[in-house]
Amino acid sequence: MDSAACKTVGRFFVRLARLAGICMLLGIGIDGIGRIGGLGGMGLGPGVARAGVVSVSPAEFDRLMETKFPGGVVVVMAAWCGPCVRELPLVNRLYGRYRGEGLEIVGLSIDYAGPEAMAPVLAGAGVDFPVYWVGEKGMNHYGIQAIPLLMRLREGRVVERIAGLLEEA
């Protein structure tokens, strides 16, 4: 294996180890998952786009993080981001596999074109987790410099960020 391939494999395993660490901290293991905060009972009210993308301000999303999913994982994405689109099926499979045991994954769209920009992407990937749109204001508010981005929450606050594409081995 050449040095470029070794670096690529190494980066993948570092990211996989970080994700495993997130899973451990969230109580997710091979044998089960601990209970963490969820979005149960969260209604989709005004501002819902066709694919269930809810338009919220960054301040509203902050309140949601604190009250509705204080220990979850936020997946930051955009429809124009190729790696984000490629990553969605994997994230959705993880969510489908573990949500019944307490894993909460929430999408955060930063598309400039509004919440409807994510609709065809979410439909194409069959995304089951809720997705909110904060637009470009959210980029500054959350200090987003690269996507795709996973943000792990504890007590509604971001405690870890993992930037870049996650790929299945």
Side-chain angles (χ1 to χ4, degrees):
M1 187 180 299
D2 65 34
S3 67
C6 286
K7 287 179 184 176
T8 300
V9 169
R11 281 192 302 267
F12 171 76
F13 282 110
V14 166
R15 290 182 47 76
L16 188 59
R18 285 183 182 161
L19 184 59
I22 287 174
C23 291
M24 254 179 40
L25 288 169
L26 291 174
I28 302 166
I30 294 171
D31 298 321
I33 297 178
R35 195 80 198 139
I36 57 178
L39 287 171
M42 174 89 183
L44 299 179
V48 178
R50 291 181 303 234
V53 180
V54 181
S55 178
V56 296
S57 70
E60 290 169 320
F61 193 73
D62 286 345
R63 283 191 295 279
L64 288 170
M65 287 193 305
E66 292 169 5
T67 61
K68 299 292 185 183
F69 48 99
V73 176
V74 178
V75 180
V76 183
M77 65 185 92
W80 47 262
C81 169
C84 298
V85 173
R86 285 194 302 277
E87 180 177 81
L88 276 175
L90 171 60
V91 173
N92 196 55
R93 280 194 302 277
L94 290 171
Y95 179 69
R97 182 173 180 185
Y98 295 112
R99 74 176 168 205
E101 299 179 52
L103 176 64
E104 285 297 341
I105 295 178
V106 178
L108 184 65
S109 169
I110 58 169
D111 277 291
Y112 299 116
E116 58 280 340
M118 280 304 299
V121 174
L122 297 174
V127 170
D128 295 319
F129 54 84
V131 178
Y132 295 86
W133 176 81
V134 294
E136 61 187 282
K137 289 181 183 176
M139 291 177 67
N140 292 329
H141 184 79
Y142 297 108
I144 297 168
Q145 298 176 1
I147 56 173
L149 174 68
L150 296 178
M151 299 189 302
R152 185 173 60 85
L153 305 176
R154 183 181 302 138
E155 298 177 4
R157 304 279 186 232
V158 176
V159 295
E160 184 174 8
R161 295 166 181 257
I162 302 173
L165 175 66
L166 289 177
E167 296 184 86
E168 199 165 19

